[in-house]
Amino acid sequence: MLTAFARAFQTPDLRKKLLFTLGIVVVFRLGQHVPVPGVSFQNVDQCVTEADAAGAGSGLFGLVNMFSGGALLQLTIFALGIMPYITASIILQLLVVVIPRLEALKKEGQSGQAKITQYTRYLTMALAVLQATGLVATARSGTLFPQCSVRNDIIPDDGIFTTMVMVIALTAATALVMWLGELITDRGIGNGMSMLMFTSIAAGFPAALWQIKQQGSLANGWIEFGVVVLCGLAMVGLVVFVELAQRRIPVQYAKRMIGRRSYGGTSTYIPLKVNQAGVIPVIFASSLLYIPQLLVQFAGADSGGWTDWVTRYFTQGSHPYYIATYFLLIVFFAFFYVAITFNPEDVAENMKKYGGFIPGIRAGRPTVEYLSYVLNRITWPGSLYLGLIALVPTVALVMFDAQQDFPFGGTSILIIVGVGLETVRQIESQLHQRNYEGFLR
């Protein structure tokens, strides 16, 4: 990987793309430190310090705070980060299966995909307005930092004008983040949104690792620090191994004579990844488990009845009920997401249309049943792997008495490794094009 980056910087146009991407990342990181107008930065900093000292972590907003690079709890202009865009993209992917019009657009190719992307932008802005309003209301009510002594003074002025300015600033910053991500996709290296997500998550690693060292007791914390780093490297190796693992189903295309020319007769394969769903099931399960906690916080923990039950079993991430529910939700959403994103009937129909077949399997319904069988067999180990990786922060919480934002958490490792592998693939493919240019001439 390092060799690929070194060769890329030696190529002029690739060097420009890499430097452009780095420039956008720097702008994005600067925006994550600019406070929203109307927020008392001193009180916010005091609340964050008290939360870290108490070991409370970020609690309810941990996932969003990780995706925003810590900007959410700092209440900066990029506090929402790319979460509205991620949510809008997931919603559009689900709606494509449900709404025939969107499914027809998806089959139209590049023009249809451009239309779906436009719908995603509109939905992103609508979600940004809703999330910005919710974030401002949460900060004003003191729910964002429940244990902070100055939680009610985070926003000193609770007037309508100040609230509107804050919501507009957060929404406009979300549009800016979306534009920066699209600039990277068009003129830089890799997928823009994925690169910004990678940057946000990686930015929190050094501080989290150093905090583990400070909290450690063996050899001034260096032993705990070393163990965590070794565990992180082992997890990265495991994630790389599984992310690259795939089942290749061979496909043979029959020869066809059109005029005097012969077409087809080639052999290829259908790559089915072990982790076909990616990190989406973990995001779904985490978001669903945050709903009971959110309801308890707004209803009040002393409401009795169901709030006591939720507080007892689903507030602490180390409780066995919470762990079991989290694991089962990840497995369920892995199967659910694979079912809506990979349609064996469409694949079999396309193969039949172009004269393709799987050796030993008849075209039509037998091919659909075979693909479904193989997909289910592959999804089982992939979903179990996702569930085990996602439980690493919980195990670390118990073993090292760490916070919820444990640096080598399952979600963060999955995203960082996935984005890193995809970026290196793009760099290597462009390097191959330039290396083969002289030979082709």
Side-chain angles (χ1 to χ4, degrees):
M1 183 176 70
L2 295 178
T3 305
F5 276 104
R7 291 168 55 198
F9 273 102
Q10 295 174 0
T11 308
D13 51 346
L14 273 182
R15 183 169 62 246
K16 290 180 181 178
K17 290 185 177 181
L18 288 172
L19 293 177
F20 179 81
T21 304
L22 291 176
I24 296 295
V25 167
V26 170
V27 173
F28 178 66
R29 286 297 298 159
L30 288 175
Q32 290 178 330
H33 293 85
V34 178
V36 178
V39 173
S40 174
F41 181 74
Q42 292 79 9
N43 291 337
V44 171
D45 189 56
Q46 180 179 344
C47 287
V48 172
T49 304
E50 291 182 7
D52 292 340
S58 51
L60 175 65
F61 304 95
L63 185 68
V64 184
N65 190 55
M66 180 187 69
F67 284 142
S68 65
L72 175 74
L73 296 182
Q74 296 285 351
L75 288 177
T76 63
I77 58 172
F78 286 171
L80 299 181
I82 57 175
M83 277 304 291
Y85 185 86
I86 294 174
T87 307
S89 300
I90 294 174
I91 291 175
L92 260 296
Q93 286 184 354
L94 298 177
L95 291 180
V96 164
V97 185
V98 179
I99 301 177
R101 170 61 180 163
L102 293 178
E103 188 176 2
L105 283 175
K106 184 179 180 181
K107 294 180 180 179
E108 288 181 4
Q110 186 175 0
S111 60
Q113 190 61 42
K115 200 69 176 178
I116 294 177
T117 302
Q118 193 69 21
Y119 292 155
T120 305
R121 293 172 184 158
Y122 294 150
L123 185 57
T124 299
M125 298 312 299
L127 291 176
V129 173
L130 292 176
Q131 293 183 14
T133 306
L135 177 60
V136 172
T138 304
R140 283 173 51 181
S141 63
T143 312
L144 190 62
F145 297 99
Q147 307 297 329
C148 181
S149 58
V150 292
R151 60 183 181 274
N152 294 322
D153 297 327
I154 293 178
I155 304 178
D157 185 6
D158 57 353
I160 297 179
F161 178 76
T162 303
T163 303
M164 290 182 61
V165 169
M166 294 180 66
V167 171
I168 292 173
L170 290 170
T171 306
T174 302
L176 179 60
V177 169
M178 185 168 56
W179 180 62
L180 292 177
E182 292 180 355
L183 279 180
I184 293 178
T185 303
D186 294 337
R187 302 173 56 185
I189 291 292
N191 181 277
M193 293 301 171
S194 299
M195 289 297 296
L196 295 183
M197 191 189 310
F198 176 93
T199 304
S200 299
I201 296 173
F205 270 33
L209 284 172
W210 188 249
Q211 190 172 20
I212 287 178
K213 186 266 176 189
Q214 290 181 328
Q215 291 178 350
S217 57
L218 300 176
N220 292 328
W222 287 110
I223 293 182
E224 288 89 345
F225 179 86
V227 169
V228 169
V229 171
L230 291 177
C231 290
L233 293 177
M235 282 186 59
V236 170
L238 173 64
V239 171
V240 170
F241 177 77
V242 177
E243 290 296 317
L244 295 179
Q246 57 182 221
R247 168 73 182 275
R248 297 181 175 181
I249 300 178
V251 178
Q252 181 73 34
Y253 286 92
K255 284 188 176 181
R256 295 181 298 168
M257 295 297 298
I258 302 178
R260 294 184 178 182
R261 293 189 177 183
S262 175
Y263 295 90
T266 59
S267 298
T268 183
Y269 60 86
I270 301 175
L272 296 180
K273 295 179 62 177
V274 173
N275 182 23
Q276 191 84 3
V279 75
I280 300 298
V282 180
I283 297 176
F284 276 6
S286 302
S287 303
L288 199 61
L289 280 178
Y290 281 148
I291 293 177
Q293 303 179 34
L294 183 63
L295 293 176
V296 167
Q297 288 205 8
F298 281 104
D302 55 349
S303 300
W306 66 273
T307 56
D308 293 339
W309 186 82
V310 171
T311 304
R312 186 181 304 113
Y313 296 118
F314 288 97
T315 301
Q316 298 297 326
S318 58
H319 197 280
Y321 284 2
Y322 183 95
I323 295 174
T325 306
Y326 189 33
F327 183 82
L328 292 176
L329 283 175
I330 291 175
V331 173
F332 168 76
F333 281 121
F335 278 92
F336 174 76
Y337 191 75
V338 169
I340 66 174
T341 54
F342 186 90
N343 191 344
E345 295 183 358
D346 291 345
V347 176
E349 183 66 26
N350 291 332
M351 288 170 52
K352 186 177 180 180
K353 184 187 301 182
Y354 295 103
F357 62 92
I358 300 175
I361 306 295
R362 293 179 59 186
R365 192 64 192 173
T367 301
V368 175
E369 294 176 354
Y370 178 75
L371 289 175
S372 301
Y373 171 76
V374 173
L375 193 63
N376 287 332
R377 292 283 297 270
I378 287 181
T379 306
W380 268 114
S383 60
L384 296 177
Y385 146 81
L386 275 180
L388 293 176
I389 289 292
L391 291 178
V392 168
T394 304
V395 176
L397 182 68
V398 177
M399 291 180 59
F400 300 105
D401 193 23
Q403 297 185 10
Q404 290 285 356
D405 54 351
F406 185 68
F408 293 107
T411 309
S412 57
I413 290 294
L414 285 170
I415 293 174
I416 284 182
V417 171
V419 175
L421 290 175
E422 183 62 29
T423 304
V424 171
R425 284 197 199 101
Q426 288 198 20
I427 293 176
E428 288 184 343
S429 65
Q430 297 199 25
L431 286 174
H432 285 319
Q433 292 176 3
R434 285 152 181 80
N435 290 340
Y436 293 152
E437 186 178 9
F439 174 75
L440 292 175
R441 286 179 179 174

